[in-house]
Amino acid sequence: MTTNPPLAADRIQAHNAARMDALRDEYDSLGRALARRGADIEAIKAKVAEFSVALPTWGSGRGGTRFAKFPMAGEPTNIHEKLADCAVVQQLSQVTPRVSPHFPWDKVSDYGALREEAASLGLGFDAINSNTFQDQPGQVHSYRSGSLSAQDPAVRAQAVAHNIECIEIGEKLGAKALTVWVGDGSNFPGQQDLGRSLDRYLEAAAEIYAALPGDWRMLLEHKMFEPAFYSTVISDWGSSVLAAQTLGPKAHCLVDLGHHAPNVNIEQIVARLHRFGKLGGFHFNDSKYGDDDLDSGSINPHQLFLVFNELVEAELNPREGFDPAYMIDQSHNVTDPIESMLSSAESIAHAYAKAVLVDRGALHAAHEADDVMMGFQALRQAYRTDLTPVLAMARVEAGGAVDPLSLYRELRWREQKAQERKPVGLGAGIV
């Protein structure tokens, strides 16, 4: 299919032409510095060029707090406008070629046509996300007391049916995975039987699992708290991995970087999940206090690097079925969502590139020798290396922009869309 991306290619080319001499100079200088350390800049660039992360369709809009949502002019109001904005991010960054839709938010009448529309914009579809944490207009049963773990069997049946519908939609879109997150839990001691609620979840999840096509995966997402604040049914990686093991080989665990207690060692969780062959994917964001859903790398870029260090170790020593699904998952409350996704995509790719740069021979030798300081220095040397020219060169060679954020502002996409799109209404919450 011939693609018709939203931005004019000649504008990107003109932007790059004015910056290529400086980029080549920086790239060549960095290449010489890396060569003195025994690293090949072209090999690193090739790995960066292979790397990608999905965009969430809901991430193209403004988020909100519990109290209010402050929409911006030109914000997308439907899946078609969301796809256009995601295509802008991909065209400029060349690292976000897939979108992850959320249902029922992104429902349409013709999913074959939606798949063609996305392809024409240069996009494919990633994991499908179900929603049993909100009641929808016309919904027969409420999820206020839970969904897959609800006491009422009719509520559980409704939640199962919705997830199976998501699988059917995903098949039409060309997806290969279903992400299941439930807000089920309790806010008071004695509100529910903590053991039986998990049993109900597993029984309902098994029905969904049975409906998976042969080449699909079911990604189980855990979260410590919110909206349940006393107990959450799938609250941590241990609950998640036990559920995945119970369900079967197509069930894996999805790690959201904000879904943990403060100061939890997430990189160790990555290693543990990989050890048991259940590392299914990541939702990238950042956190200061809790599940803040801040832009990736904005608070703790070193943790992001350490997570990718474990992911690169897993990539070099894969277990059967290792094929993690990477997605940005942020709430853009005060920024232009396109700008935040451009910034986060670069932060994520940069963390990956630095992890690729780690001298694995030196790191493993330090492990074997119990040399604490040299093991730390093997990581620190890679982390403090600025690989921005590598990312920029990989983008340009793929058709992207040297400086995506700068060009995006020059093109005034949001201002143009503000003239074309209907305004988003005021509201509370994230959607």
Side-chain angles (χ1 to χ4, degrees):
M1 174 183 289
T2 302
T3 59
N4 184 28
L7 303 178
D10 60 350
R11 293 294 301 272
I12 298 177
Q13 293 164 2
H15 165 90
N16 290 346
R19 293 163 175 79
M20 280 308 297
D21 287 346
L23 176 57
R24 288 193 184 95
D25 181 62
E26 293 169 3
Y27 184 84
D28 291 343
S29 176
L30 176 60
R32 290 190 293 272
L34 292 177
R36 288 191 289 272
R37 289 160 50 179
D40 181 357
I41 193 171
E42 289 294 314
I44 297 170
K45 184 183 69 175
K47 294 295 291 183
V48 169
E50 295 172 357
F51 179 80
S52 65
V53 58
L55 297 173
T57 54
W58 66 94
S60 60
R62 273 281 180 93
T65 69
R66 291 184 185 176
F67 307 104
K69 177 175 179 175
F70 302 97
M72 67 184 301
E75 189 176 342
T77 61
N78 56 52
I79 180 59
H80 311 289
E81 293 173 352
K82 293 174 186 177
L83 288 177
D85 283 6
C86 289
V88 169
V89 178
Q90 164 58 8
Q91 199 174 356
L92 293 173
S93 72
Q94 291 297 314
V95 73
T96 58
R98 299 174 307 283
V99 293
S100 189
H102 209 300
F103 296 102
W105 298 341
D106 295 327
K107 269 195 167 184
V108 296
S109 59
D110 187 340
Y111 291 103
L114 187 67
R115 182 176 182 178
E116 291 179 3
E117 178 184 343
S120 72
L121 293 168
L123 299 171
F125 284 98
D126 207 86
I128 305 298
N129 298 265
S130 61
N131 180 341
T132 61
F133 53 85
Q134 285 180 324
D135 287 348
Q136 305 298 327
Q139 183 174 310
V140 176
H141 304 286
S142 175
Y143 294 131
R144 64 180 176 270
S145 297
S147 59
L148 294 181
S149 73
Q151 186 76 33
D152 186 341
V155 176
R156 298 198 301 274
Q158 178 180 267
V160 168
H162 167 63
N163 277 276
I164 292 175
E165 179 190 22
C166 287
I167 294 171
E168 293 168 351
I169 293 171
E171 288 187 280
K172 297 173 184 176
L173 294 177
K176 295 292 184 182
L178 172 71
T179 296
V180 179
W181 175 73
V182 295
D184 296 22
S186 64
N187 282 289
F188 291 89
Q191 180 178 338
Q192 65 179 210
D193 186 306
L194 301 182
R196 290 180 180 175
S197 63
L198 178 59
D199 289 340
R200 292 192 296 269
Y201 169 88
L202 291 171
E203 289 171 7
E207 294 183 55
I208 300 168
Y209 183 92
L212 291 173
D215 57 349
W216 271 54
R217 293 184 298 163
M218 184 173 174
L219 305 178
L220 309 181
E221 184 175 2
H222 63 272
K223 186 174 184 179
M224 184 182 178
F225 68 96
E226 194 186 40
F229 286 88
Y230 174 67
S231 69
T232 301
V233 174
I234 303 296
S235 58
D236 51 35
W237 75 272
S239 300
S240 181
V241 74
L242 288 172
Q245 289 175 330
T246 300
L247 290 173
K250 291 187 286 187
H252 294 79
C253 303
L254 188 144
V255 179
D256 185 305
L257 294 185
H259 287 191
H260 307 271
N263 304 316
V264 163
N265 189 328
I266 300 175
E267 53 269 33
Q268 186 175 43
I269 293 173
V270 174
R272 293 290 185 268
L273 291 176
H274 179 61
R275 164 64 181 79
F276 293 104
K278 289 298 185 182
L279 183 59
F282 270 83
H283 281 182
F284 290 110
N285 49 53
D286 214 333
S287 170
K288 179 66 176 178
Y289 300 107
D291 184 26
D292 309 324
D293 275 356
L294 303 176
D295 286 14
S296 298
S298 62
I299 303 298
N300 194 346
H302 189 248
Q303 182 186 61
L304 184 61
F305 161 72
L306 293 176
V307 165
F308 267 111
N309 178 61
E310 295 302 326
L311 288 168
V312 169
E313 283 284 346
E315 187 178 290
L316 295 172
N317 301 280
R319 291 182 178 270
E320 185 177 356
F322 178 71
D323 183 22
Y326 295 146
M327 190 192 79
I328 294 172
D329 184 13
Q330 303 168 175
S331 183
H332 311 115
N333 300 330
V334 295
T335 59
D336 180 330
I338 289 179
E339 293 189 354
S340 274
M341 291 194 292
L342 284 170
S343 175
S344 292
E346 178 155 25
S347 293
I348 294 165
H350 204 167
Y352 172 71
K354 288 182 177 185
V356 169
L357 177 60
V358 170
D359 185 336
R360 298 285 151 188
L363 180 63
H364 297 157
H367 293 166
E368 294 297 323
D370 274 339
D371 193 330
V372 176
M373 182 53 66
M374 294 316 294
F376 172 65
Q377 290 302 319
L379 296 181
R380 179 48 56 94
Q381 184 181 48
Y383 177 70
R384 68 189 179 198
T385 303
D386 183 4
L387 296 176
T388 301
V390 177
L391 272 67
M393 191 64 78
R395 270 197 308 273
V396 170
E397 291 179 358
V402 171
D403 185 347
L405 189 55
S406 173
L407 179 54
Y408 172 71
R409 291 200 165 191
E410 285 178 28
L411 295 173
R412 302 181 67 82
W413 170 267
R414 189 65 71 193
E415 290 85 343
Q416 294 175 33
K417 297 299 120 178
Q419 303 302 314
E420 302 170 8
R421 296 173 177 172
K422 66 179 183 181
V424 176
L426 298 175
I430 63 170
V431 294

